[in-house]
Structures are given as structure tokens and as C-alpha cells.
Amino acid sequence: MLFNSATFLFLFLPIVLAASFVAPAKVKNCVLLFASLIFYAWGGVSMTIIIIFSIFFNYIIGRLIEANKNTVGAKIFLTIGLIINLGVLATFKYLGFLIENLNPLLSAFSFSQIKQTSIALPIGISFFTFHSISYIVDVYRNRVTAQKNIINHSLYITLFPQLIAGPIVRYSDISEQIKERSVTIQKFASGIERFIIGLAKKMLIANAFAFVADDIFALESNELTTYTAWLGTISYTIQIYYDFSGYSDMAIGLGRMFGFEFLENFNFPYIATSIQDFWRRWHISLSNWFRDYLYISLGGNRCSKGKVLFNLFIVFLCTGFWHGASWNFIVWGLFHGFFIILEKVGFDKILLRIWKPFRHIYVLFVVMIAWVFFRAPDINYAFMFINKLFGIAENTHQWQKLIFYLNNEFVICLSFALMGAAGFFQIVYNNIASKIVLKRGSVLLKTIYDVSSLVVLVSIFILSIVYFTIGSYSPFIYFRF
């Protein structure tokens, strides 16, 4: 079920909100759990078996680790938990890729090839698997106590706002909220506001650039020019940010409506001044997950310089592979890893001496080139596309091809997208709304501000509804991960 669908907005969400508010405190979690399972099963009932298995398996493993705390048994049960969780993820997400790449090797040595079978990918498997792994590891590290209530444990894994595409919420961050939480008028209102902002990001900006990016990345080599290639790259760079940050905003907003507070997942990544800074701002929950559960486990910074660089290589190799079973994602991850390592060995000090705008340009250049690998249908197309970006083997520069895309709607969306990604609206709010109007303004001024804000929110909500009513099917990009 999509957040940006009529079924969710006008049927599922109102019913669940009403049921949650009227339900006694003791059964609120049961109501949310039941609703979350329906939400997940909407995309395929058969796939629900996988997540139910994950819930019960990790519940048992957590209890066993807790019962054998600080013993060899705890380590054994943790190891079993990691093997099974990663094994399930590998089977459904990576088995086809591994067979596809193993068969040529088997053929070269005259061995029989492995028959490939199509395995449906359970939606959100990467996210709920990482939730489960963080839970059992934190139980092993004595950071949390194993959840004894199966309903509460199940709700942590399946809570529908963050179930399918994150953010990756750790049990330690919401364990107390699962036990007890409150929904104030202020929190509920801020949740609605955040949800509407996320919906607008998706419907009014991300989808507008998706049309351009999808069209350009579908062009054959002889149809693609340097100018259209750059337009496609810029469009996808904007699309993926507003698509994914929009989903995160909607998830955070929905969480607040039910009394949960999720951590932020984006912090204006395109204004970063280094690639290290970019990863502190982009998909923060994933970056922190890899830092705490992989990088630190490998030794982190507590080892030799060479080992630190190797650890970073492994982290970004896994980061790329986590996103998908394709060489494109592996190259995307390693491309970022290369510049992280470059900055670690001294380039970061050079960056600090460079004029700040040039640092922004450097980050955007690296990130946009990397997005080509992320978006391209295969690795060969990605390299062809990059060749076009730099005019290699370019025959003609056809400006007229751009006219098809550069209409008034595109220009308006681009203006709002650039201002939003640069934090312009946040700066306006922080310096005008919060400091001047809300703190020092008169009652009349505050009333005007409140009414104006409400009118703007209602307007963009209605406009978003109109767009998804007349538009085509538009799933969030990160649903496939």
C-alpha cells in the first residue's frame, strides 16, 4: 500500500487513527500491529509469511541471548541469528545475482550451470532485516533488554510508517514509546504538517523530475546527447532526494500521529562540503547502522591506518550491495567509498583550504556521477551514459531536444527544488517565523501567520491529491530495496 494513494489516505489511515484513539491503552499496540500486518499484506499476502517468520525467529533468538547473557551461549545464538537473517535476505535478494555471475565461471571450467529460478522479492526485506539484526545485536551488547511481550516485539518490526522504506528505527530508540506513549494535539498537528510536506515532496517535485529522468535514461546511445544526459542526471539527483526524503517525512509524520518520535533521516545532504559530510546527512539511519554494526565491529578507527581504510572499503561495498543485487549498486557504493578513503588520507585537509562554494561543487559533482550508476538499467548503459556526460563520442549537440523538457512547469519545480534542497525554506522559517513572528510578534501577527500556514498546507495537500488522482502509478524509489 502506498502512502500517496487514495486507499491509504481516505480509507486505511482514517480507520486506523480512529481505532487507535478509541482503543483502550492495553490494546493500542494490538490495533497497530493488526493494521501494520494488513498494510504489509496489501502488497502480497504470501510474502507476509517471511516477515512473520522473521518476527518469531528474532523474538526467540533475543530471548535466548538474554537468557545466556555474557556467556559463550549468547555468542552462539547471536551467530545463528545473524546467519539466518542474512541467509533469508541473501536468498530472496541476492541468489539470482550470485547464480547469474557464477554460471559463466562454471561454464569456463566445463561444469554444469545452475538453473535460475525467479524468486519474488518481499517488499521492504532489507529494512525489516536490518531492524531485526540491530535488535539482537543490541540485546547481545546489553544495550537493551530482550522484549518479552511478543505483541510489542512484533509491533517494533512491523510498525507500518517505517516498515517498507525506513527510516531504520532501532529498538532502543522506541522501546519506551512502544510500552507507553501519548498523542498531544501539538504532536498530532505537527505529524499532519510533516506528512503533508512529505507528500508534496513526492507528488509535486519528485514525480515531476521522474518524468524527465525516466525518459532520458530510456534513450538509446544514438539518441542521447551531452545536454540531455546532464539534464537526466540533474533530474534524477533531484528526484531521488525528494522521493526518499519525502517518504521519510511522511513516515516521521505518521509516527507522530500515533505517538512515536522517529529520528531524522535527512539533513540537507546536497549542501554538504565533503563526501564524509554527505553521508552524515543522507539516509542517516542507514549510515549510522553501518557505522555501529559493521564499521565498529570491524575495528572502526581503533586500528592501523591501512585497516581503517580497508574497513571503509568493506562498509561501502556492503552499502552498495544492500541497495540491490546489481553491479551498478556495487560500483555506486565503491565510488563513494573511494572518495571517502581519499578524504581520509588527506584530501579532507585540502578541502578545508578551498573556497566553500567549490567544496559544494565537488560534492555535487561526485554525487551526481554516482547517481548515474544508481539509476542506469545496467553497468554498460551507465558507462555509456557517463561517456555522453563528458561529450566522448558525441556527434551532435542538439539543443532542440531540451525544449521538450524545459517547459514552465519544469522551471517552476526546479526553482522550488533547488531552494528546498539548499535549506532556503528552513532558513526563512528559523529566522522569520520562529524568531520574529512566534516569539516577538503581536497576537494579530501570530494569528495571520497561523492562518497563512494553514492555508498553504491545505493548498499543497489538495494540489498533491489532484496530482496523484490524475497521475500514473508512482511507487517510491526505495520500495525496491
Side-chain angles (χ1 to χ4, degrees):
M1 192 182 302
L2 298 172
F3 288 168
N4 57 326
S5 68
T7 303
F8 178 84
L9 284 173
F10 303 120
L11 183 63
F12 179 85
L13 183 58
I15 290 174
V16 177
L17 281 171
S20 179
F21 284 134
V22 301
K26 291 183 179 180
V27 299
K28 284 187 183 294
N29 285 353
C30 293
V31 171
L32 269 181
L33 174 59
F34 180 68
S36 296
L37 289 174
I38 291 176
F39 177 86
Y40 190 81
W42 200 269
V45 176
S46 61
M47 289 301 156
T48 310
I49 297 172
I50 306 302
I51 196 170
I52 290 175
F53 166 79
S54 178
I55 289 168
F56 281 97
F57 173 76
N58 287 289
Y59 172 77
I60 294 169
I61 287 292
R63 294 292 301 275
L64 289 172
I65 292 173
E66 179 89 6
N68 294 273
K69 189 177 292 185
N70 302 321
T71 68
V72 175
K75 183 175 288 188
I76 291 173
F77 287 120
L78 174 64
T79 302
I80 292 172
L82 293 175
I83 290 172
I84 297 299
N85 277 296
L86 292 174
V88 170
L89 180 62
T91 299
F92 284 94
K93 190 169 183 177
Y94 303 109
L95 184 60
F97 174 77
L98 293 174
I99 293 174
E100 180 185 340
N101 285 274
L102 184 61
N103 275 338
L105 186 62
L106 293 173
S107 180
F109 288 94
S110 301
F111 290 110
S112 299
Q113 294 194 356
I114 302 171
K115 185 179 179 180
Q116 287 186 272
T117 56
S118 178
I119 302 177
L121 179 66
I123 191 168
I125 188 171
S126 296
F127 286 94
F128 68 72
T129 299
F130 269 30
H131 282 120
S132 298
I133 290 175
S134 69
Y135 168 72
I136 62 174
V137 171
D138 281 353
V139 172
Y140 175 79
R141 291 176 175 176
N142 296 323
R143 291 180 178 173
V144 298
T145 303
Q147 177 58 256
K148 296 179 175 60
N149 187 314
I150 185 63
I151 299 297
N152 291 353
H153 173 81
S154 301
L155 181 60
Y156 162 64
I157 300 297
T158 63
L159 189 58
F160 76 87
Q162 48 81 53
L163 172 60
I164 293 176
I168 300 173
V169 179
R170 302 189 195 183
Y171 178 71
S172 59
D173 291 331
I174 64 168
S175 58
E176 293 303 317
Q177 298 174 52
I178 289 176
K179 293 177 185 176
E180 186 178 356
R181 58 192 176 276
S182 61
V183 182
T184 63
I185 294 176
Q186 184 178 8
K187 180 183 281 189
F188 189 81
S190 70
I192 293 175
E193 179 182 358
R194 192 66 180 268
F195 181 88
I196 291 174
I197 290 171
L199 181 64
K201 281 184 175 181
K202 167 63 177 174
M203 300 309 304
L204 306 183
I205 299 181
N207 283 4
F209 287 96
F211 165 76
V212 178
D214 290 348
D215 198 63
I216 291 176
F217 273 91
L219 294 175
E220 298 292 337
S221 174
N222 61 334
E223 300 175 302
L224 193 64
T225 69
T226 293
Y227 300 128
T228 51
W230 275 108
L231 181 62
T233 303
I234 292 169
S235 296
Y236 187 70
T237 298
I238 294 172
Q239 178 201 354
I240 193 169
Y241 169 64
Y242 279 96
D243 189 284
F244 193 21
S245 69
Y247 184 93
S248 294
D249 286 339
M250 296 167 82
I252 291 169
L254 287 169
R256 288 179 185 172
M257 292 183 209
F258 291 96
F260 292 94
E261 284 289 348
F262 301 150
L263 298 179
E264 295 295 334
N265 206 27
F266 287 87
N267 183 24
F268 303 107
Y270 291 158
I271 65 170
T273 55
S274 68
I275 301 302
Q276 295 178 76
D277 187 28
F278 173 82
W279 279 98
R280 286 190 286 266
R281 296 169 175 270
W282 175 273
H283 202 345
I284 298 169
S285 62
L286 180 68
S287 301
N288 290 346
W289 196 98
F290 274 113
R291 179 196 65 198
D292 295 341
Y293 298 104
L294 181 58
Y295 183 67
I296 290 176
S297 298
L298 290 171
N301 295 325
R302 306 181 312 275
C303 43
S304 66
K305 189 71 172 180
K307 184 64 164 55
V308 168
L309 301 182
F310 178 75
N311 293 343
L312 289 170
F313 169 81
I314 295 297
V315 166
F316 279 91
L317 172 65
C318 292
T319 300
F321 206 37
W322 178 88
H323 281 84
S326 166
W327 286 108
N328 289 50
F329 295 115
I330 293 174
V331 172
W332 171 80
L334 292 178
F335 190 77
H336 275 275
F338 171 79
F339 284 94
I340 291 283
I341 291 172
L342 189 66
E343 291 174 10
K344 278 285 187 181
V345 297
F347 188 59
D348 56 341
K349 296 181 177 61
I350 297 174
L351 281 174
L352 291 174
R353 295 196 293 267
I354 296 175
W355 190 35
K356 197 170 183 178
F358 287 154
R359 282 184 264 164
H360 292 310
I361 293 171
Y362 151 72
V363 171
L364 286 173
F365 180 78
V366 171
V367 169
M368 284 195 294
I369 297 301
W371 283 139
V372 172
F373 290 102
F374 200 92
R375 174 59 183 81
D378 57 62
I379 196 70
N380 293 326
Y381 189 93
F383 282 114
M384 179 279 293
F385 200 97
I386 288 174
N387 284 341
K388 291 290 183 176
L389 286 176
F390 296 101
I392 301 174
E394 183 69 68
N395 295 321
T396 59
H397 296 285
Q398 300 179 36
W399 280 101
Q400 60 268 30
K401 282 186 176 289
L402 299 182
I403 298 175
F404 176 73
Y405 303 107
L406 301 180
N407 51 36
N408 291 336
E409 181 182 2
F410 182 90
V411 173
I412 292 171
C413 286
L414 180 62
S415 301
F416 277 96
L418 294 178
M419 287 190 292
F424 172 78
F425 300 115
Q426 190 69 39
I427 293 171
V428 169
Y429 174 79
N430 291 339
N431 290 280
I432 297 179
S434 63
K435 291 183 180 178
I436 299 175
V437 176
L438 300 181
K439 288 185 178 180
R440 299 183 220 168
S442 63
V443 174
L444 177 60
L445 192 59
K446 290 179 181 178
T447 302
I448 293 173
Y449 171 79
D450 289 338
V451 173
S452 300
S453 299
L454 181 60
V455 169
V456 171
L457 276 176
V458 171
S459 298
I460 64 173
F461 178 71
I462 292 173
L463 191 58
S464 299
I465 297 299
V466 169
Y467 266 72
F468 82 63
T469 301
I470 64 176
S472 57
Y473 175 73
S474 56
F476 291 88
I477 292 173
Y478 267 67
F479 269 27
R480 61 193 173 114
F481 304 136

